[in-house]
């Protein structure tokens, strides 16, 4: 077991300055809640939003960070109009602006929380700059896991996962990182999403509104649909493999509807360690910000789990009805993770636009993996971060273009 990071570069000086990439999304909003509750420990250095200018302005006017970023340059005048008159931050834009922020010397921690492949550039920039990365953008490791792992080791970069499942594994494994022979398997839990227990006939008629009704978590549209198809868990399997250096054949998934146990580690002696907590993203976010320290409940509003009121159930995933999980394993074996992610993002986008049906999501992805199998495999070995990013983006665009034509 070799963790992605040597964990020796993490600052313990407070307050830590945090750059939030994706501040207007669900993770970014929760991160700001963590900072509000722990102002003596964390300050906001930068906020990078997307197209929600109004929300970005509200966040900026509250926290007054010296640097802001947004997606489109043409939105900068509108943002300036919404800011407090005496507040004059540096405003950057686009992928270049996000990357610049995540490598700035003033930032102690970079929260990578942009949605999808768009977050790769900022993640790679932060790792290359030797920043402590709080990683909520699983796609960064899906697209370039091996490369980022090597780069992190070379730069002495610390990466702490913000996903509830991966932080649960982190807590269970923390004292065993140097003892690979003690771990038998990593077990990720999945709620099963809104369609657990449904049959194919039901799934043939589900609507976008049905798929967006996650039973346990409040998340953005893309990750909520991924949870409904089980692709989110497939992406998390890939992420766990890169984070912890574990072969896919030692990473399992179980359906756990209550979302109380977030992940488990099975040990060679037959025992299993589990991490339990209420489903609240403020817990892994605060933990990643504070590591190697730990916030107490005096500094966060995360509720204590009441074990007497919880039932714990576990089921085997229905891979026939939800094939996206197996497609993720297939993509790793065929070295097609870039293609998997691109196809999935377009499939989800088309479903949200009512352009394809729910059951067509895995069909589109499977066809794109078949298309990708005929393409020349790409390699990032010996590439600079900028070259690696260009190679990934070129293949990503190629698959997206093909997926948009699928019918």
């Amino acid at each position: 077991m070799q963790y992605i990071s040597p964990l020796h570069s993490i600052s313990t000086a407070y307050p830590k300055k945090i750059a939030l990439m994706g501040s207007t999304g669900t993770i970014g909003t929760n991160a700001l809640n963590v900072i509000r509750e722990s102002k003596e420990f964390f300050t906001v250095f930068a906020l990078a939003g997307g197209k929600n200018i109004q929300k970005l302005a509200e966040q900026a006017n509250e926290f007054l960070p010296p640097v802001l970023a947004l997606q489109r340059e043409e939105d900068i005048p509108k943002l300036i109009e919404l800011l407090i008159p005496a507040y004059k931050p540096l405003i950057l834009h686009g992928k270049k602006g996000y990357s610049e922020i995540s490598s700035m010397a003033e930032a102690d921690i970079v929260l990578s929380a942009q949605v999808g492949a768009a977050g790769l550039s900022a993640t790679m920039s932060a790792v290359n700059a030797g920043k402590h990365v709080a990683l909520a953008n699983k796609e960064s490791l899906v697209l370039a896991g091996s490369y980022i792992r090597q780069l992190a080791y070379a730069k002495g970069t610390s990466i702490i996962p913000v996903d509830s499942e991966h932080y649960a594994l982190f807590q269970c494994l923390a004292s065993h990182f140097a003892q690979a022979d003690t771990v038998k398997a990593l077990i990720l839990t999945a709620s099963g999403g809104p369609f657990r227990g449904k049959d194919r006939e039901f799934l043939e008629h589900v609507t976008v509104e049905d798929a967006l009704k996650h039973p346990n978590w409040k998340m953005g549209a893309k990750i909520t649909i991924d949870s409904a198809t089980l692709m989110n868990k497939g992406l998390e399997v890939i992420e766990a493999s890169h984070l912890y250096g574990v072969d896919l054949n030692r990473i399992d998934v179980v359906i756990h509807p209550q979302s109380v146990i977030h992940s488990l580690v099975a040990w060679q002696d037959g025992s299993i360690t589990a991490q339990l907590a209420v489903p609240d993203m403020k817990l892994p976010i605060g933990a990643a910000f504070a590591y190697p320290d730990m916030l107490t409940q005096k500094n966060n509003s995360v509720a204590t789990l009441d074990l007497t009121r919880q039932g714990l159930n576990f089921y085997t995933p229905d891979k026939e009805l939800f094939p996206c999980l197996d497609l993720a394993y297939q993509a790793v074996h065929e070295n097609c993770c870039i293609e998997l992610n691109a196809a999935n993002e377009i499939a989800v986008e088309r479903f949200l636009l009512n352009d394809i049906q729910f059951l067509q999501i895995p069909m589109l992805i499977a066809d794109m993996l078949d298309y990708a199998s005929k393409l020349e495999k790409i390699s990032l070995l010996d590439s600079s971060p900028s070259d690696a990013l260009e190679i990934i983006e070129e293949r990503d665009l190629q698959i997206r273009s093909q997926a948009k034509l699928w019918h």
Side-chain angles (χ1 to χ4, degrees):
M1 183 73 56
Q2 184 183 10
Y3 185 58
I4 188 171
S5 161
L7 297 177
H8 63 253
S9 63
I10 300 177
S11 171
T12 56
Y14 293 102
K16 296 182 180 181
K17 297 178 181 178
I18 300 174
L20 282 74
M21 317 306 297
S23 68
T24 57
T26 304
I27 297 295
T29 301
N30 273 292
L32 290 174
N33 287 335
V34 169
I35 294 170
R36 284 189 191 96
E37 295 171 359
S38 307
K39 291 181 179 179
E40 67 269 42
F41 298 115
F42 313 119
T43 62
V44 178
F45 167 70
L47 294 172
K51 298 178 182 179
N52 192 338
I53 309 305
Q54 181 68 42
K55 190 170 185 178
L56 178 60
E58 291 171 0
Q59 293 174 341
N61 286 333
E62 177 183 356
F63 291 94
L64 303 177
V67 185
L68 300 176
L70 69 177
Q71 186 171 328
R72 300 177 300 202
E73 184 178 11
E74 57 267 30
D75 289 331
I76 292 178
K78 180 181 178 182
L79 176 61
I80 293 174
E81 287 181 5
L82 295 171
L83 296 178
I84 297 170
Y87 172 44
K88 305 294 182 182
L90 171 65
I91 302 178
L92 304 173
H93 68 276
K95 183 178 69 175
K96 184 177 179 181
Y98 299 155
S99 296
E100 184 176 342
I101 285 177
S102 50
S103 62
M104 286 182 172
E106 295 90 340
D108 297 313
I109 298 172
V110 175
L111 172 66
S112 177
Q114 291 172 266
V115 177
L120 175 61
S121 177
T123 301
M124 194 173 290
S125 177
V127 171
N128 192 47
K131 296 297 178 182
H132 169 33
V133 179
L135 185 65
N137 177 259
K138 62 178 66 68
E139 288 83 0
S140 292
L141 294 184
V142 171
L143 294 169
S146 296
Y147 184 86
I148 289 177
R149 183 183 176 93
Q150 294 171 359
L151 186 63
Y153 186 80
K155 298 292 184 178
T157 300
S158 299
I159 298 180
I160 306 296
V162 167
D163 276 350
S164 61
E165 295 83 357
H166 294 93
Y167 184 72
L169 290 173
F170 183 88
Q171 280 198 315
C172 292
L173 289 167
S175 61
H176 295 266
F177 284 147
Q179 304 173 39
D181 57 347
T182 65
V183 177
K184 183 178 181 180
L186 306 182
I187 305 170
L188 299 172
T189 59
S191 70
F195 304 137
R196 182 182 64 83
K198 305 298 184 182
D199 57 21
R200 183 171 296 276
E201 182 179 359
F202 179 90
L203 294 182
E204 286 175 350
H205 301 96
V206 300
T207 65
V208 171
E209 290 72 22
D210 294 331
L212 289 174
K213 295 176 182 176
H214 195 282
N216 300 334
W217 296 93
K218 289 185 177 181
M219 305 178 292
K222 195 270 182 181
I223 190 173
T224 303
I225 301 303
D226 281 349
S227 295
T229 65
L230 289 191
M231 178 55 84
N232 185 55
K233 208 53 51 177
L235 298 178
E236 288 180 358
V237 166
I238 299 171
E239 182 182 8
S241 176
H242 290 301
L243 275 171
Y244 303 111
V246 176
D247 292 336
L248 254 65
N249 60 8
R250 291 204 291 156
I251 304 177
D252 299 322
V253 173
V254 297
I255 302 299
H256 171 52
Q258 293 82 13
S259 296
V260 169
I261 294 179
H262 299 287
S263 282
L264 311 95
V265 175
W267 305 99
Q268 293 290 357
D269 64 2
S271 64
I272 294 178
T273 301
Q275 189 249 34
L276 291 76
V278 295
D280 188 335
M281 282 306 299
K282 292 196 299 295
L283 179 61
I285 292 170
F289 285 177
Y291 191 86
D293 298 327
M294 178 181 289
L295 296 178
T296 69
Q297 287 180 309
K298 293 179 180 179
N299 306 111
N300 67 45
S301 60
V302 177
T304 299
L305 180 66
D306 184 352
L307 291 173
T308 65
R309 302 180 65 180
Q310 297 292 337
L312 303 179
N313 304 104
F314 303 92
Y315 307 94
T316 301
D318 187 342
K319 296 181 181 180
E320 182 176 346
L321 201 55
F322 300 95
C324 284
L325 186 56
D326 276 343
L327 288 173
Y329 280 85
Q330 175 187 336
V332 174
H333 293 309
E334 297 179 358
N335 190 23
C336 289
C337 290
I338 298 170
E339 294 85 349
L340 172 84
N341 187 73
N344 179 62
E345 290 195 15
I346 294 301
V348 171
E349 179 181 298
R350 291 182 63 177
F351 172 69
L352 289 170
L353 293 171
N354 291 303
D355 187 38
I356 63 174
Q357 297 177 339
F358 181 79
L359 288 177
Q360 289 181 300
I361 293 175
M363 294 168 60
L364 186 158
I365 297 168
D367 284 351
M368 290 304 100
L369 289 182
D370 181 62
Y371 170 76
S373 68
K374 302 175 178 64
L375 301 176
E376 181 181 355
K377 300 301 179 185
I378 67 174
S379 174
L380 304 179
L381 292 177
D382 301 321
S383 299
S384 67
S386 60
D387 288 343
L389 188 62
E390 184 177 347
I391 292 169
I392 292 169
E393 289 178 342
E394 182 178 340
R395 178 58 59 89
D396 176 82
L397 180 60
Q398 181 180 7
I399 298 301
R400 287 172 187 269
S401 299
Q402 190 71 19
K404 289 177 181 178
L405 300 174
W406 184 89
H407 61 276

